Amino acid sequence: MPAQERRPIVAGNWKMNTTLSEAIQLASDVREPLATLAGVESVLCPPFISLAAVRDAVAGSPVALGAQNCHFEAKGAFTGEVSPAMLADLSCQYVIVGHSERRALFGEDDALVGRKLRAAQAHGLSVILCVGENLEQRESGQTDAVVGGQARGALEGLEASAWDRLVIAYEPVWAIGTGRAATSAQANETIGAIRRVVADLAGEEIAGRLRIQYGGSVTPANAAELFAQPEIDGALVGGASLKAVDFVAICRAAAT
Ligand code: PGA
């Protein structure tokens, strides 16, 4: 599928930010400007406790709701965890799995990430799977091997129909929250490498259809250049998604 036929997707990962009232305010502020934007799918990923309120704040608009994480079981004795069944029941359409902060700070490995991914999909959710290398790995030329290994580790054996409920976010760890985004050429090249891994796992047709975002210090200033690259199908946005005008500007850049 030619790049221009993949609909870009821009997701705001609010991380552990916003109180309930702040979340409602932010969702209300982006709702109208995003509602009129064709050509881009926009997703808000607030903290768990604000999912229901954000769902209500964007109800009736095309803005989608996503969670930042989930457990792999549907229910049970897992104190403090949130299940994919609960997220689906809340009308979440997306869930982020394998974010580098979860890998680095909470010890999540590819096997766990793959389990979460399958559980989420089994409950009808679409998954945003994050992959990305750290600075040392990039500087020693291991980028493609690292991101390819993470993709294979989570996606090997995925059944053909499940690929339609998947988005990959390429997020170099060194670019997240640092103000130092990958260059558009770096992002394009690595996303191309990820797409080749997907082609190897699932065939050219699925690889050509799969949306792969870039994430890491995306701002209104660098968004248009990133989105002009043929491999980049939108963004996973952290810091800039907490400012309504910035998130809307990034979505607008993806829509044009
Ligand atoms: P950032 O975060 O935009 O603040 O760099 C991106 C992310 O971690 O998803």
Side-chain angles (χ1 to χ4, degrees), residues 13 15 99 101 171 175-178 215-218 236-240:
N13 174 12
K15 307 193 181 183
H99 190 279
E101 286 149 20
E171 297 208 305
I176 295 176
T178 58
S217 297
V218 176
L236 184 54
V237 185

Side-chain angles (χ1 to χ4, degrees), residues 46-220:
F48 287 132
I49 64 141
S50 298
L51 282 168
V54 168
R55 173 199 60 196
D56 294 345
V58 298
S61 84
V63 178
L65 185 68
Q68 300 172 18
N69 182 30
C70 67
H71 196 264
F72 51 80
E73 293 289 355
K75 63 178 179 177
F78 302 98
T79 301
E81 293 293 316
V82 173
S83 80
M86 296 171 187
L87 298 179
D89 181 60
L90 274 174
S91 308
C92 276
Q93 287 135 279
Y94 287 92
V95 60
I96 300 169
V97 304
H99 190 279
S100 70
E101 286 149 20
R102 300 231 43 104
R103 292 177 190 263
L105 304 173
F106 301 97
E108 296 194 5
D109 61 13
D110 293 331
L112 179 63
V113 170
R115 238 177 134 180
K116 290 184 174 197
L117 182 148
R118 281 163 181 75
Q121 289 187 330
H123 286 89
L125 297 163
S126 290
V127 169
I128 300 177
L129 167 69
C130 301
V131 299
E133 83 289 359
N134 64 31
L135 190 57
E136 194 190 322
Q137 290 163 335
R138 174 156 284 269
E139 286 177 343
S140 58
Q142 297 174 68
T143 298
D144 290 1
V146 170
V147 298
Q150 289 170 336
R152 282 180 196 281
L155 298 170
E156 197 111 60
L158 201 66
E159 59 182 69
S161 62
W163 291 88
D164 285 334
R165 291 196 305 283
L166 180 75
V167 172
I168 295 180
Y170 166 54
E171 297 208 305
V173 177
W174 48 271
I176 295 176
T178 58
R180 180 185 166 198
T183 65
S184 56
Q186 283 172 323
N188 191 63
E189 192 186 320
T190 305
I191 290 176
I194 295 167
R195 203 178 296 284
R196 287 193 292 281
V197 170
V198 172
D200 190 41
L201 290 172
E204 292 290 344
E205 210 233 288
I206 285 175
R209 236 177 24 226
L210 181 75
R211 294 180 295 178
I212 309 182
Q213 304 168 303
Y214 166 75
S217 297
V218 176
T219 66

